[in-house]
């Protein structure tokens, strides 16, 4: 077999074969990370220049949100060409440079893949519109006649995640399915050409050297036979404890078994990561059986509040679900689709404590860009600058995803804080001057230095990283405390200080610990047990 660029990538220091079992993976949202050309939009060259920052932060891999050719109706999740780079981000040469330089720094690269839907500007879809009803290209999507005497009603009652009907009618009278924006038609994964195309796309990027794929809407590819009506009451239970006709259908697993064979053709432990909003962790585990994908996002944990009992239950359920299939549990606090956890939890102190708790758990952890700076959600963006498509829908998501996508502050006292020379596509708050990378570097009390230290300890400590269990220790109400070998983590989720029996030598704390054996409110501590 031809040797690929990533084949010679050395295993990063401190990991064993199967690097993804304990990896800390940093999510880069390209348009908001770093701007190299002064157009106010982040790009691949900006990412390349900042890779040393990520190496020094201590992460193992970098996940890049979409940078493909796209009309940007949904921030790049509407892909027009899966083998081309959107000019706002650069060129294929720039993508190759990011991959090569990352590998030279000991970092791996995971790219987003969006297989549930494409852009309405994708050549297949444009040709399907031109050719009309009953033609072969239409079979690669979900085109249907409407209901009613003149076909004036949608084929079924499904609603878009962004609000409104999940169907749009075209000039010849047929309707096409889009679970998200009308500009994002869903592929028909029953069609062999769709399956062949995506295996080809996988190989294109694997040949370029990427180390894996984060699979967008991994639970949505297969729809129930006949596209049955759902009923409004059931639609409202979108994340309830049931399988919906457009999400988490059993047929998706055959697709991922096929993809696993492609990934396994390549040396270097290439991986697949499922963004699967399954109804429970037991069904999430199905995506990471030994012959399917390698990781699945733990949304159950992400949606758990700052409460000791709830967190312990989530941790136990997550570990218990993954153990039988032999997959690592993943832990995540923030991403590009949810309110930043500093704001969700209500304070920076809680966000810092939550970070230490997450990084102490067995498995793999995800860090969303800016959380290492302690960035809050930007909640006061003017309506005229918002770009989240669901913001413009009456019945969709909350439409406030722009608040977690505001470009990063790197340096300086005024916007755009070193993001670039030409402003930023979303306005940055004035108070972010004190949260920049420059302002926090070298300040031992800063959130950035907390993350740097935590990631160094996590990599070096023999009892951290991969694993499938924790040993819970007796602790006061509102406190989580567990042991992993000679390591102990304790997190106080209450609003008052508590005394912890048998506290050991402090390795790291999320906040000041002035009295030995006393854990302050909303604080986490790592001890050598």
């Amino acid at each position: 077999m031809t040797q690929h660029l990533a084949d010679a990538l050395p295993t990063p220091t401190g990991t064993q074969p199967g690097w993804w079992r304990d990896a800390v993976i940093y999510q880069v949202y390209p348009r908001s990370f770093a701007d190299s050309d002064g157009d106010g939009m982040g790009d691949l060259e900006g990412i390349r220049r900042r890779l040393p920052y990520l190496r020094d932060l201590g992460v193992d891999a970098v996940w890049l949100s979409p940078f493909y050719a796209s009309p940007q109706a949904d921030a790049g999740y509407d892909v027009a060409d899966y083998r081309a780079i959107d000019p706002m981000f650069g060129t294929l040469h720039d993508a190759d440079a990011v991959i090569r330089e990352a590998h030279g720094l000991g970092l791996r690269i995971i790219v987003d893949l969006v297989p549930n839907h494409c852009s309405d500007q994708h050549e297949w879809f444009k040709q399907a519109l031109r050719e009309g009803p009953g033609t072969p290209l239409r079979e690669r999507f979900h085109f249907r006649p409407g209901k009613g005497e003149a076909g004036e009603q949608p084929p079924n009652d499904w609603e878009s995640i962004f609000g409104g009907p999940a169907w749009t009618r075209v000039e010849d009278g047929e309707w096409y399915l889009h679970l998200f924006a009308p500009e994002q038609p869903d592929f028909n994964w029953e069609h062999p050409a769709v399956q062949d195309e995506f295996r080809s796309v996988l190989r294109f990027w694997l040949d370029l050297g990427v180390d894996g794929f984060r699979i967008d809407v991994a639970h949505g590819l297969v729809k129930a036979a006949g596209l049955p009506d759902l009923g409004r009451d059931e639609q409202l239970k979108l994340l309830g404890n049931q399988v919906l006709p457009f999400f988490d259908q059993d047929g998706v697993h055959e697709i991922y078994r096929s993809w696993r064979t492609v990934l396994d053709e390549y040396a270097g432990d290439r991986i697949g990561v499922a963004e699967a909003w399954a109804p429970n962790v037991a069904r999430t585990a199905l995506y990471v059986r030994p012959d399917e994908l390698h990781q699945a996002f733990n949304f159950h944990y992400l949606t758990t509040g700052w409460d000791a009992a709830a967190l312990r239950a989530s941790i136990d359920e997550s570990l218990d679900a993954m153990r039988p299939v032999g997959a690592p549990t993943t832990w995540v606090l923030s991403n590009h689709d949810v309110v930043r956890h500093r704001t969700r939890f209500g304070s920076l102190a809680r966000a810092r404590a939550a970070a230490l708790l997450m990084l102490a758990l067995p498995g793999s952890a995800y860090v969303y860009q800016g959380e290492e700076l302690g960035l809050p959600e930007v909640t006061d963006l003017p309506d005229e600058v918002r770009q989240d498509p669901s913001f413009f829908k009456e019945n969709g998501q909350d439409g406030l995803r722009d608040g977690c996508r505001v470009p990063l502050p790197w340096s300086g006292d005024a916007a755009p804080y070193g993001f670039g020379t030409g402003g930023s596509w979303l306005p940055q708050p004035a108070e972010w001057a004190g949260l920049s990378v420059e302002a926090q570097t070298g300040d031992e009390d800063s959130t950035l230095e907390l993350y740097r230290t935590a990631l160094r300890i996590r990599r070096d400590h023999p009892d951290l990283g991969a694993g499938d269990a924790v040993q819970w220790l007796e602790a006061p109400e509102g406190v989580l405390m567990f042991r992993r070998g000679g390591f102990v983590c304790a997190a106080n989720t209450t609003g008052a200080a508590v005394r912890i029996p048998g506290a050991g030598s402090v390795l790291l704390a999320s906040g000041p610990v002035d009295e030995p054996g006393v854990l302050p409110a909303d604080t986490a501590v790592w001890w050598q047990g």
Side-chain angles (χ1 to χ4, degrees):
M1 189 190 323
T2 302
Q3 186 179 31
H4 303 285
L5 292 177
D7 292 357
L9 177 64
T11 302
T13 303
T15 63
Q16 301 298 320
W19 63 270
W20 40 275
R21 291 188 172 276
D22 65 354
V24 177
I25 300 171
Y26 186 98
Q27 181 188 358
V28 166
Y29 191 69
R31 60 170 55 199
S32 298
F33 191 68
D35 172 20
S36 71
D37 58 11
D39 65 355
M41 189 73 66
D43 48 45
L44 289 170
E45 174 60 15
I47 294 169
R48 188 193 67 78
R49 295 178 186 178
R50 297 290 188 178
L51 286 172
Y53 165 78
L54 298 178
R55 174 202 59 198
D56 294 344
L57 180 62
V59 301
D60 301 293
V62 181
W63 154 33
L64 303 176
S65 292
F67 47 68
Y68 306 108
S70 166
Q72 302 296 317
D74 183 23
Y77 285 92
D78 50 317
V79 179
D81 187 339
Y82 290 87
R83 298 175 181 83
I85 307 299
D86 195 280
M88 75 162 60
F89 298 125
T91 66
L92 196 59
H93 175 77
D94 294 322
D96 180 65
V98 168
I99 296 166
R100 288 175 179 271
E101 186 145 342
H103 287 173
L105 294 171
L107 296 168
R108 301 178 188 268
I109 293 291
I110 296 170
V111 299
D112 239 304
L113 190 63
V114 188
N116 178 71
H117 49 263
C118 62
S119 167
D120 60 359
Q121 298 305 303
H122 190 285
E123 282 301 319
W124 282 8
F125 190 75
K126 291 195 294 184
Q127 186 175 346
L129 292 181
R130 289 193 299 267
E131 291 184 354
T135 54
L137 262 295
R138 292 217 170 178
E139 295 176 1
R140 299 181 186 185
F141 301 91
H142 294 279
F143 279 91
R144 296 287 188 277
K147 293 180 178 179
E149 292 185 6
E152 71 280 5
Q153 299 173 14
N156 69 21
D157 66 354
W158 296 0
E159 291 190 8
S160 163
I161 306 304
F162 287 166
W167 297 89
T168 290
R169 198 177 193 188
V170 300
E171 290 184 0
D172 55 45
E174 283 200 326
W175 298 72
Y176 68 88
L177 176 68
H178 52 86
L179 290 182
F180 294 87
E183 297 88 351
Q184 295 169 290
D186 279 40
F187 284 113
N188 174 17
W189 272 88
E190 301 294 328
H191 199 291
V194 175
Q195 299 179 28
D196 289 345
E197 169 67 2
F198 274 91
R199 283 191 289 265
S200 174
V201 170
L202 290 175
R203 290 191 172 95
F204 177 87
W205 290 102
L206 290 166
D207 287 342
L208 199 65
V210 303
D211 300 285
F213 302 90
R214 175 268 189 185
I215 302 158
D216 185 65
V217 196
H219 56 304
L221 277 57
V222 172
K223 280 68 175 176
L227 309 183
D229 281 340
L230 178 61
R232 178 61 180 168
D233 290 342
E234 292 301 310
Q235 180 99 15
L236 293 174
K237 299 176 184 175
L238 199 60
L239 294 179
N241 206 26
Q242 70 284 318
V243 177
L244 300 172
F246 46 78
F247 279 162
D248 198 36
Q249 292 288 305
D250 290 338
V252 299
H253 299 290
E254 198 59 42
I255 295 169
Y256 299 131
R257 291 187 185 98
S258 170
W259 287 17
R260 180 61 178 261
T261 64
V262 175
L263 292 168
D264 287 349
E265 292 173 9
Y266 290 77
D269 272 340
R270 316 298 180 91
I271 71 168
V273 181
E275 183 210 27
W277 286 90
N280 52 60
V281 290
R283 287 199 64 87
T284 300
L286 299 179
Y287 290 80
V288 288
R289 289 175 286 191
D291 60 346
E292 295 192 38
L293 302 174
H294 300 75
Q295 291 186 351
F297 285 146
N298 189 347
F299 293 116
H300 183 51
Y301 186 76
L302 183 151
T303 56
T304 302
W306 186 239
D307 175 83
L311 286 165
R312 177 167 174 169
S314 177
I315 292 166
D316 282 341
E317 290 169 12
S318 300
L319 292 170
D320 290 347
M322 295 299 153
R323 198 175 297 116
V325 296
T329 304
T330 64
W331 312 101
V332 59
L333 294 169
S334 289
N335 65 32
H336 65 292
D337 279 335
V338 301
V339 173
R340 287 186 176 274
H341 66 274
R342 170 177 172 174
T343 300
R344 284 202 328 271
F345 290 158
S347 72
L348 178 58
R350 290 179 176 181
R352 290 165 59 99
L356 287 198
L357 173 63
M358 175 185 77
L359 293 172
L361 292 169
S364 179
Y366 282 78
V367 173
Y368 177 52
Q369 65 176 43
E371 76 172 73
E372 80 278 13
L373 303 177
L375 296 185
E377 186 83 357
V378 180
T379 58
D380 58 353
L381 290 169
D383 289 356
E384 60 268 20
V385 305
R386 293 190 179 277
Q387 298 192 25
D388 183 352
S390 65
F391 178 75
F392 303 98
K393 299 287 187 180
E394 291 183 1
N395 300 315
Q397 295 173 331
D398 58 23
L400 300 177
R401 294 181 299 171
D402 292 318
C404 63
R405 300 176 178 182
V406 175
L408 295 189
W410 290 95
S411 60
D413 298 325
Y417 305 115
F419 170 70
T421 60
S424 60
W425 68 281
L426 286 173
Q428 301 154 301
E431 58 269 24
W432 279 19
L435 297 176
S436 72
V437 173
E438 179 182 61
Q440 296 194 47
T441 295
D443 178 359
E444 64 180 15
D445 295 325
S446 71
T447 302
L448 176 57
E449 295 298 347
L450 176 72
Y451 269 77
R452 285 172 171 164
T453 302
L455 291 174
R456 176 182 56 79
I457 294 173
R458 187 182 194 276
R459 176 170 292 196
D460 293 343
H461 199 292
D463 294 319
L464 291 177
D468 64 5
V470 298
Q471 177 189 353
W472 292 108
L473 303 176
E474 186 175 348
E477 185 175 357
V479 175
L480 287 166
M481 190 158 65
F482 60 83
R483 178 185 299 277
R484 298 187 64 194
F487 171 92
V488 174
C489 176
N492 180 5
T493 68
T494 74
V498 295
R499 185 168 294 278
I500 304 295
S505 175
V506 174
L507 291 171
L508 186 61
S510 65
V513 179
D514 299 323
E515 183 180 350
V518 175
L519 188 57
D522 295 323
T523 300
V525 173
W526 290 359
W527 285 315
Q528 186 68 40

